[in-house]
């Protein structure tokens, strides 16, 4: 997500300076080679020093720790945002650390692929980018984030953090879990490779996201546990009705 954002910003503003840091040196090399960043920061503090906008693009369960590590080094007038797919927890920590200049964000884009190799400059073209301001959010900070979102081709829409989490649990997190469960059910009756090799395009379309990085999804579900459990409960009730009707 971060790599695609850097590439999209570079496409929109060729002269922009984008500094990046990643704990994996090879990811940094890849980001520099693909044009997702213009400068390779030696550490996380160097990445944010002097920045006008700081984007936290890490697995959502790591966002609070990353923000805490740079809180006293981010310039006082810099706007801070993120791209995590769970918002209530991240916004809570962001407000505590950065006050009214933190604006939560979540682009409704991506695929089962991950890493800098999967980054694409056009990933955000035409997609919704949810921003989650609160009553304390600075109007100036909100404007900076929405202008960035528009610059990379996305369409900003504002939601309360809790509303975002409830909706995304049903639109994204539950479908991911269901896709994984469907693959397990389909493979349970015999040789997995042989059975899945016979699957038609409909099944493959439904279960494509089951190939997503499981570590990433563990982090997402942990960060949005309550809303995900509510969504699973709703699906369980509906499936019980379907089961009863079929019986």
């Amino acid at each position: 997500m971060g790599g695609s954002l850097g590439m999209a910003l570079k496409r929109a503003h060729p002269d922009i300076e984008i500094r990046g840091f990643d704990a994996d040196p090879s990811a940094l090399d890849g980001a520099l080679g693909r044009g997702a960043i213009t400068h390779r920061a030696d550490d996380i503090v160097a990445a944010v020093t002097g920045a006008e906008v700081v984007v936290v693009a890490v697995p959502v369960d790591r966002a609070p720790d990353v923000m805490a590590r740079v809180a006293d080094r981010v310039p006082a007038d810099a706007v801070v945002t993120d791209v995590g797919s769970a918002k209530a927890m991240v916004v809570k920590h962001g407000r505590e650390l950065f006050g009214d200049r933190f604006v939560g964000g979540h682009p409704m884009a991506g695929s089962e692929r991950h890493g800098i190799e999967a980054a694409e400059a056009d990933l955000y073209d035409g997609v919704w980018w949810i921003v989650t301001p609160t009553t304390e959010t600075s109007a100036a900070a909100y404007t900076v984030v929405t202008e960035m979102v528009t610059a990379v081709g996305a369409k900003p829409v504002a939601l309360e953090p809790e509303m975002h989490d409830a909706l995304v649990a049903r639109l994204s997190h539950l479908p991911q879990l269901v896709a994984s469960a469907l693959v397990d059910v389909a493979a349970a009756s015999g040789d997995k490779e042989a059975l899945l090799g016979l699957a038609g395009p409909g099944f493959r379309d439904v279960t494509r996201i089951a190939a997503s990085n499981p570590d990433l999804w563990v982090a997402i579900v942990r960060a949005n546990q309550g809303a995900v459990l509510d969504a699973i409960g709703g699906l369980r009730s509906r499936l019980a009705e379907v089961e009863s009707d079929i019986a």
Side-chain angles (χ1 to χ4, degrees):
M1 300 297 278
S4 294
L5 178 57
M7 293 167 70
L9 285 169
K10 189 66 176 173
R11 180 187 64 178
H13 302 287
D15 296 328
I16 195 172
E17 177 184 340
I18 305 172
R19 274 175 284 150
F21 174 75
D22 194 289
D24 179 1
S26 65
L28 269 182
D29 292 339
L32 191 62
R34 299 206 61 199
I37 58 175
T38 60
H39 296 78
R40 186 175 189 249
D42 293 331
D43 55 52
I44 195 170
V45 171
V48 303
T49 301
E52 296 177 6
V53 179
V54 174
V55 181
V56 180
V58 298
V60 66
D61 63 334
R62 299 182 191 173
D65 177 63
V66 168
M67 291 190 295
R69 288 170 60 192
V70 299
D72 61 346
R73 306 304 288 268
V74 172
D77 57 349
V79 173
V80 183
T81 187
D82 78 304
V83 296
S85 63
K87 293 269 68 79
M89 177 267 292
V90 174
V91 170
K92 175 181 180 293
H93 286 278
R95 286 172 55 193
E96 291 173 352
L97 293 167
F98 303 106
D100 64 358
R101 57 199 175 100
F102 180 83
V103 186
H106 176 209
M108 300 295 288
S111 71
E112 72 280 6
R113 299 166 61 222
H114 63 280
I116 188 60
E117 298 81 7
E120 300 292 345
D122 62 356
L123 178 67
Y124 304 117
D125 287 354
V127 306
W128 293 109
W129 190 305
I130 301 173
V131 288
T132 55
T134 69
T135 55
E136 299 174 3
T137 302
S138 157
Y142 178 80
T143 298
V144 167
V145 172
T146 54
E147 286 179 349
M148 181 188 74
V149 168
T150 302
V152 300
K155 302 177 292 184
V157 58
L159 287 177
E160 294 180 351
E162 292 76 16
M163 177 63 73
H164 164 277
D165 287 356
L167 289 175
V168 174
R170 288 157 175 78
L171 296 176
S172 176
H173 305 168
L174 180 64
Q176 171 67 41
L177 296 171
V178 170
S180 298
L182 282 174
V183 170
D184 283 346
V185 169
S189 58
D191 180 75
K192 179 178 180 179
E193 297 300 326
L195 287 169
L196 298 183
L198 295 173
F203 181 84
R204 290 196 296 271
D205 287 344
V206 169
T207 60
R208 172 185 54 80
I209 59 174
S212 298
N213 182 350
D215 292 335
L216 177 65
W217 278 99
V218 168
I220 290 171
V221 171
R222 182 181 292 121
N224 199 26
Q225 183 186 38
V228 170
L229 288 174
D230 286 345
I232 291 174
L235 178 62
R236 182 189 297 111
S237 296
R238 185 68 187 101
L239 285 177
E241 293 174 5
V242 172
E243 182 182 34
S244 176
D245 290 344
I246 292 173

